[in-house]
Amino acid sequence: MAASKNIVTSFQRRGPRVGGADTGGSRLVSIAGTRPSVRNGQLLVSTGLPALDQLLGGGLAVGTVLLIEEDKYNTYSPMLFNYFLAEGIINGHTLLVASAKENPADILQKLPAPLLDDNCKKEFNEDVGSHETSESDIKMKIAWRYQLLPKMKAGPVSSSRFGHYYDVSKRIPQELIEASKWHGFFLPEKMSPAIKEEACSMINGYKKLLHFIQNVIYEEGFDGSNPQTKQRNILRIGIQSLGSPLWGDDICCTENCKSSHCLMKFLYVLRGLLRTSLSVCIITVPTHLLQNKANVARMTNLSDVVVGLESFIGSERETNPLYKDYHGLMHIRQIPRLNNLICDISDVKDLAFKLKRKLFTIERLHLPPDLSDTVSRSSKQDLAESAKLLGPGCGMMAGGKKHLDF
Amino acid sequence: MLAAPARPDWLPSADFARASFSRALELCCSSASVVSSTSPSGPGPLFPDLRMFPELNNLLNTAPDKAEQGRLTLLCDARTDGSFLVHHFLSFYLRANCKVCFVALIQSFSHYNIVAQKLGVSLTAARDRGQLVFLEGLKSSVEVFFQTPEEPHPLQFLREAKAGNLQPLYEFVRTALTPGDDGEAAWRCPVLLVDDLSVLLSLGLGAVAVLDWMQYCRATVCCQLKGNIVALVHDREDTEDEENDILLNGLSHQSHLILRTEGLATGFCRDVHGQVQCSGHCTTSWSAEAADSVETAHNPAGPEPHLSVQDTGQERVLFC
């Protein structure tokens, strides 16, 4: 996956684009850590996980919302969240971190360390060496590509490459955090108890967050309304566990809550803000807590990219031999149609993720070969059952019926 | 923002994929012959509909120069995305020289514009000459939410705490489509296009409120102004979204034509993305040429009505 992505990035326009219609595009392209989509012309940013970028059609388009459905114990979804933010720090993007649970400053401290050009190869080799040989071929190819990549810039953050790899076992260097520009929204700090209740359609926390985001976008010129001489930049917004009870929302508590439209309105207005500014947003939502599954479908409809994580922790799949190589399944539920009639959908539907010692990887799900002679009948049936569960694949282009059996 | 350089490819695709459907298809084809009043600014018959979905037009026995009037068309999609039909009808009615009011709640103007350019019409040009009235929901939601408007905004319900009121939206549609004195009679008939009604439900409106709104619009646009309405509703059959079911059933009951897009029951397939079912409760009267096309395109092997539609960008696609 990552290897083919690098092939894509090696086609880069050297000179400025000629032609009047494209001048806006070429100016935008000069932002670090972005590239234009070959498919729909949108400006893309990396999610911080090159494998995921490739699954989403090259990256995340600026102005869109990436919705992550949290896994049950919220073990792996913070990693995607952190990757997204760390990628912003590496590229010098402005961050906006919103949470009701953790202080944004603490979230930033926990970001993974980047594997940059000089130590990247070494880390990769180290990582590969500790794993089986079948994967080492692929990894070596990636490392080989890195050797060919020219040094882009000097400095501590040496690379303006699109998409980086991160070492989850290490924390991001302190000087990178200090050099970065970020805004934090920590709900308990922002809530003042004696507030004048204006009759409005939204829960207070959501409303405050929207105003906060709008303020940042407007004051720092991400909306492009006040053209400034300084370099344009991308605003990366991360919102943690949106819709959880900590936000004051009862969408997780009751099935027929009256306030379910608050979350939807928040998403809608947020999307309107993003569409008119140079910003991109990641939201994690505990969808397994939502009592009414209709709300999940509505949220999906109001977001652009939706990725679901399903970890094996605590489920019977944890001990299932079929899944012994993986830590969970990844479902790409929705890929946006941007400037196109259809979306850029990848061929692979059965995806699994795995947390290695240092890397979070996404792989195509392969069934392991059945080598043992003593597989009992029952476990074979189990395997067949589990494999059938995988069947429908991506529900967005064409979800299959559950009861179909071949 | 970030408009893409749209690639004008004027070449018709060499192989139009097979258009095969069975006779069991119930279609409503009262061939209303409308004398086209060709406006000089309108898209004339110079451009044959190479880039809309010609199979769909054949299937519905319609063409931009003989669009019918007074119809409510319901677009509905299940387990897949039916927005290509919205793009189709948008370009279809703009080409048919109709006055179009487009309530676009789910995507931005630039998205619709770029796709429409691929289908051969320009939304900016249509908007400039007054043919298209575009309500961009995402953009106006920001205005409604962060500013206090003087006059009621069409999407005023976003600010209201309870029981949203769709009357401003109805007023917006009515004023947009009611022909004025200043020579707007050049447009053939008014058309209301909504993408999509499920968003209204998500934003806190009840199904009954949306149905009422549609009823008002139908009375005004379809009956009074002799125009058409096209609306998209998602079918969330597996999520037990009660409000959505009420809306879908209510509209299915009222509409003259239902185009239902479904993902394949067998799951994902790279080449075929789904199927389109047409149903309606008008009198089925095939005109002569339509019957011919049925004969030639009838595929005995296919039990389902099939319709191949292509994306007119680089890739071939869509629905089968």
Side-chain angles (χ1 to χ4, degrees), chain A residues 28 40 201 264-265 268 271 275 297-298 337 339-342 347 396-397 399 401 404, chain B residues 1-2 4 79-81 105-107 111 118 158 160 202-203 236 241 265 270 273 311 318:
Chain A
L28 295 171
N40 51 30
S201 55
M264 308 300 161
K265 277 184 187 171
Y268 194 73
R271 208 164 152 222
R275 283 286 200 269
R298 289 180 173 187
R337 291 164 165 75
N339 304 340
N340 260 323
L341 276 171
I342 61 160
D347 295 334
M396 115 151 248
M397 286 312 296
K401 278 184 186 154
L404 275 172
Chain B
M1 62 179 296
L2 310 177
R79 299 189 312 261
T80 184
D81 191 286
L105 298 172
I106 198 73
Q107 283 285 4
H111 166 79
K118 291 182 179 180
L158 279 169
E160 289 161 9
S202 300
L203 295 178
R236 310 223 173 88
D241 194 338
R270 192 217 296 252
H273 289 182
D311 188 357
L318 264 170

mmCIF file of all heavy atoms in Angstrom, chain A residues 28 40 201 264-265 268 271 275 297-298 337 339-342 347 396-397 399 401 404, chain B residues 1-2 4 79-81 105-107 111 118 158 160 202-203 236 241 265 270 273 311 318:
data_model
loop_
_atom_site.group_PDB
_atom_site.id
_atom_site.type_symbol
_atom_site.label_atom_id
_atom_site.label_comp_id
_atom_site.label_asym_id
_atom_site.label_seq_id
_atom_site.Cartn_x
_atom_site.Cartn_y
_atom_site.Cartn_z
ATOM 1 N N LEU A 28 -2.483 27.419 -3.519
ATOM 2 C CA LEU A 28 -2.843 26.578 -2.390
ATOM 3 C C LEU A 28 -1.877 25.410 -2.250
ATOM 4 O O LEU A 28 -1.593 24.970 -1.156
ATOM 5 C CB LEU A 28 -4.260 26.047 -2.584
ATOM 6 C CG LEU A 28 -5.336 27.118 -2.566
ATOM 7 C CD1 LEU A 28 -6.650 26.526 -2.974
ATOM 8 C CD2 LEU A 28 -5.437 27.705 -1.185
ATOM 9 N N ASN A 40 -10.004 14.809 -8.210
ATOM 10 C CA ASN A 40 -11.050 15.829 -8.193
ATOM 11 C C ASN A 40 -10.502 17.225 -7.982
ATOM 12 O O ASN A 40 -11.262 18.162 -7.833
ATOM 13 C CB ASN A 40 -12.084 15.500 -7.109
ATOM 14 C CG ASN A 40 -11.440 15.226 -5.777
ATOM 15 O OD1 ASN A 40 -10.384 15.773 -5.478
ATOM 16 N ND2 ASN A 40 -12.051 14.392 -4.980
ATOM 17 N N SER A 201 -30.970 26.497 19.650
ATOM 18 C CA SER A 201 -31.309 25.143 19.263
ATOM 19 C C SER A 201 -30.252 24.149 19.669
ATOM 20 O O SER A 201 -30.348 22.996 19.343
ATOM 21 C CB SER A 201 -31.460 25.103 17.756
ATOM 22 O OG SER A 201 -30.285 25.603 17.175
ATOM 23 N N MET A 264 -26.572 16.724 15.315
ATOM 24 C CA MET A 264 -26.646 16.816 13.853
ATOM 25 C C MET A 264 -26.461 18.260 13.396
ATOM 26 O O MET A 264 -25.764 18.529 12.429
ATOM 27 C CB MET A 264 -27.988 16.301 13.350
ATOM 28 C CG MET A 264 -28.345 14.945 13.849
ATOM 29 S SD MET A 264 -27.152 13.693 13.379
ATOM 30 C CE MET A 264 -27.553 12.440 14.561
ATOM 31 N N LYS A 265 -27.107 19.154 14.115
ATOM 32 C CA LYS A 265 -26.955 20.567 13.745
ATOM 33 C C LYS A 265 -25.514 21.005 13.907
ATOM 34 O O LYS A 265 -24.982 21.744 13.083
ATOM 35 C CB LYS A 265 -27.857 21.442 14.614
ATOM 36 C CG LYS A 265 -29.275 21.525 14.116
ATOM 37 C CD LYS A 265 -30.075 22.478 14.973
ATOM 38 C CE LYS A 265 -31.535 22.434 14.582
ATOM 39 N NZ LYS A 265 -32.380 23.176 15.506
ATOM 40 N N TYR A 268 -23.618 19.778 11.046
ATOM 41 C CA TYR A 268 -23.996 20.487 9.827
ATOM 42 C C TYR A 268 -23.335 21.856 9.757
ATOM 43 O O TYR A 268 -22.738 22.224 8.744
ATOM 44 C CB TYR A 268 -25.516 20.615 9.783
ATOM 45 C CG TYR A 268 -26.058 21.015 8.443
ATOM 46 C CD1 TYR A 268 -26.059 20.101 7.396
ATOM 47 C CD2 TYR A 268 -26.557 22.284 8.221
ATOM 48 C CE1 TYR A 268 -26.547 20.449 6.168
ATOM 49 C CE2 TYR A 268 -27.056 22.634 6.981
ATOM 50 C CZ TYR A 268 -27.058 21.717 5.962
ATOM 51 O OH TYR A 268 -27.532 22.069 4.728
ATOM 52 N N ARG A 271 -19.639 21.551 9.295
ATOM 53 C CA ARG A 271 -19.293 21.242 7.912
ATOM 54 C C ARG A 271 -19.400 22.481 7.033
ATOM 55 O O ARG A 271 -18.581 22.701 6.150
ATOM 56 C CB ARG A 271 -20.218 20.150 7.402
ATOM 57 C CG ARG A 271 -19.591 19.326 6.338
ATOM 58 C CD ARG A 271 -20.378 18.065 6.166
ATOM 59 N NE ARG A 271 -20.255 17.575 4.821
ATOM 60 C CZ ARG A 271 -21.257 17.098 4.127
ATOM 61 N NH1 ARG A 271 -22.456 17.067 4.656
ATOM 62 N NH2 ARG A 271 -21.080 16.656 2.924
ATOM 63 N N ARG A 275 -16.293 23.936 4.916
ATOM 64 C CA ARG A 275 -16.380 24.058 3.466
ATOM 65 C C ARG A 275 -15.932 25.431 2.976
ATOM 66 O O ARG A 275 -15.528 25.590 1.837
ATOM 67 C CB ARG A 275 -17.810 23.806 2.987
ATOM 68 C CG ARG A 275 -18.225 22.374 2.955
ATOM 69 C CD ARG A 275 -17.590 21.644 1.810
ATOM 70 N NE ARG A 275 -18.319 20.425 1.484
ATOM 71 C CZ ARG A 275 -18.065 19.238 2.005
ATOM 72 N NH1 ARG A 275 -17.105 19.119 2.870
ATOM 73 N NH2 ARG A 275 -18.773 18.189 1.648
ATOM 74 N N ALA A 297 -26.635 6.492 11.293
ATOM 75 C CA ALA A 297 -26.811 6.679 9.857
ATOM 76 C C ALA A 297 -26.922 8.157 9.513
ATOM 77 O O ALA A 297 -26.386 8.618 8.502
ATOM 78 C CB ALA A 297 -28.056 5.934 9.391
ATOM 79 N N ARG A 298 -27.593 8.912 10.367
ATOM 80 C CA ARG A 298 -27.723 10.342 10.088
ATOM 81 C C ARG A 298 -26.384 11.048 10.191
ATOM 82 O O ARG A 298 -26.070 11.927 9.392
ATOM 83 C CB ARG A 298 -28.709 10.962 11.074
ATOM 84 C CG ARG A 298 -30.137 10.534 10.789
ATOM 85 C CD ARG A 298 -31.091 11.152 11.773
ATOM 86 N NE ARG A 298 -32.467 10.861 11.398
ATOM 87 C CZ ARG A 298 -33.506 11.400 12.007
ATOM 88 N NH1 ARG A 298 -33.332 12.234 13.006
ATOM 89 N NH2 ARG A 298 -34.728 11.105 11.619
ATOM 90 N N ARG A 337 -18.096 11.864 -2.230
ATOM 91 C CA ARG A 337 -18.080 12.188 -3.643
ATOM 92 C C ARG A 337 -17.806 13.672 -3.738
ATOM 93 O O ARG A 337 -18.654 14.472 -3.410
ATOM 94 C CB ARG A 337 -19.431 11.881 -4.263
ATOM 95 C CG ARG A 337 -19.728 10.443 -4.331
ATOM 96 C CD ARG A 337 -21.197 10.237 -4.570
ATOM 97 N NE ARG A 337 -21.449 8.876 -4.977
ATOM 98 C CZ ARG A 337 -21.421 7.857 -4.152
ATOM 99 N NH1 ARG A 337 -21.179 8.049 -2.882
ATOM 100 N NH2 ARG A 337 -21.648 6.640 -4.592
ATOM 101 N N ASN A 339 -16.770 16.627 -6.269
ATOM 102 C CA ASN A 339 -16.614 17.081 -7.646
ATOM 103 C C ASN A 339 -16.714 15.926 -8.631
ATOM 104 O O ASN A 339 -16.176 15.997 -9.727
ATOM 105 C CB ASN A 339 -15.272 17.784 -7.846
ATOM 106 C CG ASN A 339 -15.102 18.922 -6.881
ATOM 107 O OD1 ASN A 339 -16.071 19.415 -6.328
ATOM 108 N ND2 ASN A 339 -13.888 19.347 -6.685
ATOM 109 N N ASN A 340 -17.352 14.885 -8.260
ATOM 110 C CA ASN A 340 -17.429 13.703 -9.097
ATOM 111 C C ASN A 340 -18.761 13.028 -8.890
ATOM 112 O O ASN A 340 -19.403 13.224 -7.871
ATOM 113 C CB ASN A 340 -16.324 12.709 -8.699
ATOM 114 C CG ASN A 340 -15.156 12.772 -9.630
ATOM 115 O OD1 ASN A 340 -15.328 12.946 -10.823
ATOM 116 N ND2 ASN A 340 -13.972 12.640 -9.081
ATOM 117 N N LEU A 341 -19.108 12.218 -9.859
ATOM 118 C CA LEU A 341 -20.345 11.465 -9.683
ATOM 119 C C LEU A 341 -20.138 10.280 -8.761
ATOM 120 O O LEU A 341 -21.034 9.878 -8.044
ATOM 121 C CB LEU A 341 -20.850 10.962 -11.031
ATOM 122 C CG LEU A 341 -21.669 11.950 -11.833
ATOM 123 C CD1 LEU A 341 -21.904 11.403 -13.208
ATOM 124 C CD2 LEU A 341 -22.989 12.206 -11.166
ATOM 125 N N ILE A 342 -18.976 9.717 -8.823
ATOM 126 C CA ILE A 342 -18.727 8.578 -7.949
ATOM 127 C C ILE A 342 -17.525 8.889 -7.085
ATOM 128 O O ILE A 342 -16.813 9.855 -7.308
ATOM 129 C CB ILE A 342 -18.472 7.278 -8.735
ATOM 130 C CG1 ILE A 342 -17.239 7.459 -9.591
ATOM 131 C CG2 ILE A 342 -19.660 6.888 -9.524
ATOM 132 C CD1 ILE A 342 -16.643 6.178 -10.020
ATOM 133 N N ASP A 347 -10.379 -1.132 -4.058
ATOM 134 C CA ASP A 347 -10.909 -2.460 -4.341
ATOM 135 C C ASP A 347 -10.987 -3.328 -3.097
ATOM 136 O O ASP A 347 -11.757 -4.264 -3.040
ATOM 137 C CB ASP A 347 -10.021 -3.154 -5.366
ATOM 138 C CG ASP A 347 -10.053 -2.441 -6.690
ATOM 139 O OD1 ASP A 347 -11.064 -1.773 -6.944
ATOM 140 O OD2 ASP A 347 -9.086 -2.538 -7.440
ATOM 141 N N MET A 396 -20.984 1.317 1.763
ATOM 142 C CA MET A 396 -21.386 2.562 1.119
ATOM 143 C C MET A 396 -21.698 2.397 -0.348
ATOM 144 O O MET A 396 -22.664 2.932 -0.837
ATOM 145 C CB MET A 396 -20.298 3.561 1.350
ATOM 146 C CG MET A 396 -19.602 3.999 0.151
ATOM 147 S SD MET A 396 -19.093 5.592 0.513
ATOM 148 C CE MET A 396 -20.063 6.484 -0.547
ATOM 149 N N MET A 397 -20.892 1.680 -1.051
ATOM 150 C CA MET A 397 -21.204 1.530 -2.473
ATOM 151 C C MET A 397 -22.335 0.533 -2.628
ATOM 152 O O MET A 397 -23.282 0.766 -3.326
ATOM 153 C CB MET A 397 -19.981 1.036 -3.241
ATOM 154 C CG MET A 397 -18.952 2.085 -3.437
ATOM 155 S SD MET A 397 -19.664 3.605 -4.044
ATOM 156 C CE MET A 397 -20.268 3.067 -5.624
ATOM 157 N N GLY A 399 -23.864 -2.311 0.042
ATOM 158 C CA GLY A 399 -23.827 -3.237 1.163
ATOM 159 C C GLY A 399 -24.640 -4.467 0.805
ATOM 160 O O GLY A 399 -25.700 -4.358 0.215
ATOM 161 N N LYS A 401 -26.790 -8.012 1.471
ATOM 162 C CA LYS A 401 -27.753 -8.470 2.460
ATOM 163 C C LYS A 401 -27.076 -9.474 3.360
ATOM 164 O O LYS A 401 -26.237 -10.251 2.933
ATOM 165 C CB LYS A 401 -28.939 -9.103 1.751
ATOM 166 C CG LYS A 401 -29.928 -8.069 1.280
ATOM 167 C CD LYS A 401 -31.130 -8.739 0.679
ATOM 168 C CE LYS A 401 -32.048 -7.708 0.091
ATOM 169 N NZ LYS A 401 -32.872 -8.230 -0.973
ATOM 170 N N LEU A 404 -27.551 -13.507 2.677
ATOM 171 C CA LEU A 404 -27.125 -14.195 1.470
ATOM 172 C C LEU A 404 -25.995 -15.141 1.797
ATOM 173 O O LEU A 404 -25.090 -14.828 2.531
ATOM 174 C CB LEU A 404 -26.662 -13.192 0.438
ATOM 175 C CG LEU A 404 -27.777 -12.618 -0.403
ATOM 176 C CD1 LEU A 404 -27.250 -11.505 -1.240
ATOM 177 C CD2 LEU A 404 -28.372 -13.695 -1.256
ATOM 178 N N MET B 1 -15.137 26.364 -2.607
ATOM 179 C CA MET B 1 -13.729 26.706 -2.695
ATOM 180 C C MET B 1 -12.942 25.604 -3.388
ATOM 181 O O MET B 1 -13.417 24.508 -3.577
ATOM 182 C CB MET B 1 -13.172 26.909 -1.306
ATOM 183 C CG MET B 1 -13.257 25.675 -0.450
ATOM 184 S SD MET B 1 -12.572 25.969 1.140
ATOM 185 C CE MET B 1 -10.915 26.275 0.692
ATOM 186 N N LEU B 2 -11.760 25.916 -3.721
ATOM 187 C CA LEU B 2 -10.853 24.959 -4.327
ATOM 188 C C LEU B 2 -11.458 24.305 -5.560
ATOM 189 O O LEU B 2 -11.599 23.099 -5.645
ATOM 190 C CB LEU B 2 -10.465 23.875 -3.318
ATOM 191 C CG LEU B 2 -9.985 24.403 -1.987
ATOM 192 C CD1 LEU B 2 -9.713 23.270 -1.061
ATOM 193 C CD2 LEU B 2 -8.757 25.247 -2.166
ATOM 194 N N ALA B 4 -11.918 22.737 -8.962
ATOM 195 C CA ALA B 4 -11.039 21.921 -9.779
ATOM 196 C C ALA B 4 -11.101 22.403 -11.212
ATOM 197 O O ALA B 4 -12.122 22.921 -11.644
ATOM 198 C CB ALA B 4 -11.475 20.472 -9.728
ATOM 199 N N ARG B 79 -28.663 1.648 0.679
ATOM 200 C CA ARG B 79 -27.354 0.997 0.733
ATOM 201 C C ARG B 79 -26.404 1.501 -0.346
ATOM 202 O O ARG B 79 -25.466 0.816 -0.711
ATOM 203 C CB ARG B 79 -27.488 -0.529 0.592
ATOM 204 C CG ARG B 79 -28.299 -1.186 1.660
ATOM 205 C CD ARG B 79 -28.143 -2.678 1.516
ATOM 206 N NE ARG B 79 -28.335 -3.098 0.140
ATOM 207 C CZ ARG B 79 -29.459 -3.608 -0.319
ATOM 208 N NH1 ARG B 79 -30.458 -3.776 0.459
ATOM 209 N NH2 ARG B 79 -29.552 -3.976 -1.572
ATOM 210 N N THR B 80 -26.679 2.624 -0.910
ATOM 211 C CA THR B 80 -25.771 3.179 -1.893
ATOM 212 C C THR B 80 -26.074 4.664 -1.983
ATOM 213 O O THR B 80 -26.841 5.186 -1.197
ATOM 214 C CB THR B 80 -25.943 2.503 -3.249
ATOM 215 O OG1 THR B 80 -24.972 3.026 -4.140
ATOM 216 C CG2 THR B 80 -27.317 2.770 -3.813
ATOM 217 N N ASP B 81 -25.470 5.335 -2.935
ATOM 218 C CA ASP B 81 -25.667 6.768 -3.020
ATOM 219 C C ASP B 81 -26.397 7.097 -4.309
ATOM 220 O O ASP B 81 -25.942 6.748 -5.398
ATOM 221 C CB ASP B 81 -24.315 7.457 -2.980
ATOM 222 C CG ASP B 81 -24.456 8.935 -2.787
ATOM 223 O OD1 ASP B 81 -24.841 9.615 -3.758
ATOM 224 O OD2 ASP B 81 -24.220 9.407 -1.683
ATOM 225 N N LEU B 105 -28.846 20.895 0.226
ATOM 226 C CA LEU B 105 -28.554 20.921 1.657
ATOM 227 C C LEU B 105 -27.303 20.144 2.018
ATOM 228 O O LEU B 105 -26.784 20.292 3.104
ATOM 229 C CB LEU B 105 -29.747 20.332 2.431
ATOM 230 C CG LEU B 105 -31.055 21.092 2.275
ATOM 231 C CD1 LEU B 105 -32.178 20.328 2.910
ATOM 232 C CD2 LEU B 105 -30.934 22.460 2.886
ATOM 233 N N ILE B 106 -26.810 19.326 1.133
ATOM 234 C CA ILE B 106 -25.794 18.366 1.564
ATOM 235 C C ILE B 106 -24.422 18.656 0.973
ATOM 236 O O ILE B 106 -23.420 18.232 1.519
ATOM 237 C CB ILE B 106 -26.271 16.932 1.212
ATOM 238 C CG1 ILE B 106 -25.502 15.885 2.004
ATOM 239 C CG2 ILE B 106 -26.165 16.633 -0.261
ATOM 240 C CD1 ILE B 106 -25.874 15.820 3.437
ATOM 241 N N GLN B 107 -24.356 19.400 -0.094
ATOM 242 C CA GLN B 107 -23.054 19.659 -0.694
ATOM 243 C C GLN B 107 -22.930 21.137 -1.027
ATOM 244 O O GLN B 107 -23.898 21.886 -0.978
ATOM 245 C CB GLN B 107 -22.864 18.836 -1.971
ATOM 246 C CG GLN B 107 -22.548 17.374 -1.741
ATOM 247 C CD GLN B 107 -21.119 17.135 -1.291
ATOM 248 O OE1 GLN B 107 -20.367 18.064 -1.068
ATOM 249 N NE2 GLN B 107 -20.762 15.877 -1.127
ATOM 250 N N HIS B 111 -19.226 21.894 -5.768
ATOM 251 C CA HIS B 111 -19.348 20.469 -6.099
ATOM 252 C C HIS B 111 -20.398 20.258 -7.184
ATOM 253 O O HIS B 111 -20.140 19.621 -8.201
ATOM 254 C CB HIS B 111 -19.723 19.696 -4.839
ATOM 255 C CG HIS B 111 -20.190 18.296 -5.092
ATOM 256 N ND1 HIS B 111 -19.335 17.265 -5.347
ATOM 257 C CD2 HIS B 111 -21.433 17.772 -5.152
ATOM 258 C CE1 HIS B 111 -20.034 16.157 -5.547
ATOM 259 N NE2 HIS B 111 -21.302 16.444 -5.427
ATOM 260 N N LYS B 118 -19.366 18.595 -15.984
ATOM 261 C CA LYS B 118 -19.086 17.304 -16.617
ATOM 262 C C LYS B 118 -20.299 16.802 -17.379
ATOM 263 O O LYS B 118 -20.169 16.072 -18.350
ATOM 264 C CB LYS B 118 -18.683 16.276 -15.573
ATOM 265 C CG LYS B 118 -17.343 16.545 -14.961
ATOM 266 C CD LYS B 118 -16.991 15.459 -13.985
ATOM 267 C CE LYS B 118 -15.627 15.729 -13.399
ATOM 268 N NZ LYS B 118 -15.227 14.702 -12.450
ATOM 269 N N LEU B 158 -32.789 26.424 11.836
ATOM 270 C CA LEU B 158 -31.530 26.043 12.476
ATOM 271 C C LEU B 158 -31.324 26.782 13.789
ATOM 272 O O LEU B 158 -30.636 26.311 14.682
ATOM 273 C CB LEU B 158 -30.365 26.348 11.546
ATOM 274 C CG LEU B 158 -30.082 25.326 10.458
ATOM 275 C CD1 LEU B 158 -29.105 25.881 9.460
ATOM 276 C CD2 LEU B 158 -29.551 24.054 11.067
ATOM 277 N N GLU B 160 -33.887 27.845 15.715
ATOM 278 C CA GLU B 160 -35.004 27.699 16.627
ATOM 279 C C GLU B 160 -34.825 26.479 17.508
ATOM 280 O O GLU B 160 -34.315 25.446 17.075
ATOM 281 C CB GLU B 160 -36.311 27.605 15.842
ATOM 282 C CG GLU B 160 -36.668 28.945 15.213
ATOM 283 C CD GLU B 160 -37.657 28.800 14.090
ATOM 284 O OE1 GLU B 160 -38.192 27.694 13.916
ATOM 285 O OE2 GLU B 160 -37.880 29.792 13.392
ATOM 286 N N SER B 202 -32.722 15.163 9.919
ATOM 287 C CA SER B 202 -31.586 15.154 10.828
ATOM 288 C C SER B 202 -31.479 16.462 11.589
ATOM 289 O O SER B 202 -31.064 16.482 12.737
ATOM 290 C CB SER B 202 -30.295 14.937 10.045
ATOM 291 O OG SER B 202 -30.331 13.724 9.359
ATOM 292 N N LEU B 203 -31.866 17.538 10.957
ATOM 293 C CA LEU B 203 -31.717 18.840 11.592
ATOM 294 C C LEU B 203 -32.851 19.149 12.537
ATOM 295 O O LEU B 203 -33.043 20.299 12.923
ATOM 296 C CB LEU B 203 -31.596 19.929 10.531
ATOM 297 C CG LEU B 203 -30.336 19.820 9.676
ATOM 298 C CD1 LEU B 203 -30.296 20.885 8.626
ATOM 299 C CD2 LEU B 203 -29.104 19.906 10.547
ATOM 300 N N ARG B 236 -33.299 4.230 4.816
ATOM 301 C CA ARG B 236 -32.453 3.579 5.815
ATOM 302 C C ARG B 236 -33.206 2.385 6.348
ATOM 303 O O ARG B 236 -33.674 2.372 7.474
ATOM 304 C CB ARG B 236 -32.138 4.556 6.940
ATOM 305 C CG ARG B 236 -31.636 5.864 6.434
ATOM 306 C CD ARG B 236 -30.481 6.369 7.221
ATOM 307 N NE ARG B 236 -29.925 7.558 6.611
ATOM 308 C CZ ARG B 236 -30.356 8.793 6.867
ATOM 309 N NH1 ARG B 236 -31.339 8.974 7.723
ATOM 310 N NH2 ARG B 236 -29.801 9.818 6.278
ATOM 311 N N ASP B 241 -35.065 3.893 11.292
ATOM 312 C CA ASP B 241 -35.267 5.327 11.458
ATOM 313 C C ASP B 241 -36.743 5.613 11.168
ATOM 314 O O ASP B 241 -37.163 5.720 10.025
ATOM 315 C CB ASP B 241 -34.358 6.078 10.485
ATOM 316 C CG ASP B 241 -34.256 7.538 10.812
ATOM 317 O OD1 ASP B 241 -35.162 8.047 11.484
ATOM 318 O OD2 ASP B 241 -33.281 8.158 10.387
ATOM 319 N N ALA B 265 -27.520 -6.678 -4.075
ATOM 320 C CA ALA B 265 -27.783 -7.527 -2.919
ATOM 321 C C ALA B 265 -26.609 -8.435 -2.626
ATOM 322 O O ALA B 265 -26.429 -8.900 -1.505
ATOM 323 C CB ALA B 265 -29.034 -8.361 -3.172
ATOM 324 N N ARG B 270 -16.947 -4.169 -8.435
ATOM 325 C CA ARG B 270 -16.184 -3.048 -8.945
ATOM 326 C C ARG B 270 -16.871 -2.393 -10.150
ATOM 327 O O ARG B 270 -16.851 -1.177 -10.303
ATOM 328 C CB ARG B 270 -14.790 -3.527 -9.340
ATOM 329 C CG ARG B 270 -13.823 -2.387 -9.604
ATOM 330 C CD ARG B 270 -12.902 -2.710 -10.732
ATOM 331 N NE ARG B 270 -12.039 -3.833 -10.425
ATOM 332 C CZ ARG B 270 -10.746 -3.686 -10.185
ATOM 333 N NH1 ARG B 270 -10.218 -2.507 -10.185
ATOM 334 N NH2 ARG B 270 -10.010 -4.741 -9.966
ATOM 335 N N HIS B 273 -22.417 -0.831 -9.809
ATOM 336 C CA HIS B 273 -22.574 -0.265 -8.475
ATOM 337 C C HIS B 273 -23.960 -0.488 -7.892
ATOM 338 O O HIS B 273 -24.154 -0.282 -6.721
ATOM 339 C CB HIS B 273 -22.292 1.229 -8.506
ATOM 340 C CG HIS B 273 -20.840 1.526 -8.710
ATOM 341 N ND1 HIS B 273 -20.339 2.783 -8.731
ATOM 342 C CD2 HIS B 273 -19.789 0.707 -8.914
ATOM 343 C CE1 HIS B 273 -19.045 2.732 -8.936
ATOM 344 N NE2 HIS B 273 -18.695 1.483 -9.046
ATOM 345 N N ASP B 311 -20.551 7.472 -15.693
ATOM 346 C CA ASP B 311 -20.005 8.752 -15.269
ATOM 347 C C ASP B 311 -19.324 9.328 -16.485
ATOM 348 O O ASP B 311 -18.639 8.643 -17.200
ATOM 349 C CB ASP B 311 -18.993 8.535 -14.172
ATOM 350 C CG ASP B 311 -18.553 9.841 -13.567
ATOM 351 O OD1 ASP B 311 -18.991 10.882 -14.040
ATOM 352 O OD2 ASP B 311 -17.780 9.806 -12.632
ATOM 353 N N LEU B 318 -21.447 3.531 -13.422
ATOM 354 C CA LEU B 318 -22.323 3.688 -12.358
ATOM 355 C C LEU B 318 -23.265 2.628 -12.199
ATOM 356 O O LEU B 318 -22.972 1.592 -11.766
ATOM 357 C CB LEU B 318 -23.084 4.907 -12.549
ATOM 358 C CG LEU B 318 -22.474 5.997 -11.813
ATOM 359 C CD1 LEU B 318 -23.011 7.255 -12.106
ATOM 360 C CD2 LEU B 318 -22.486 5.720 -10.455
#
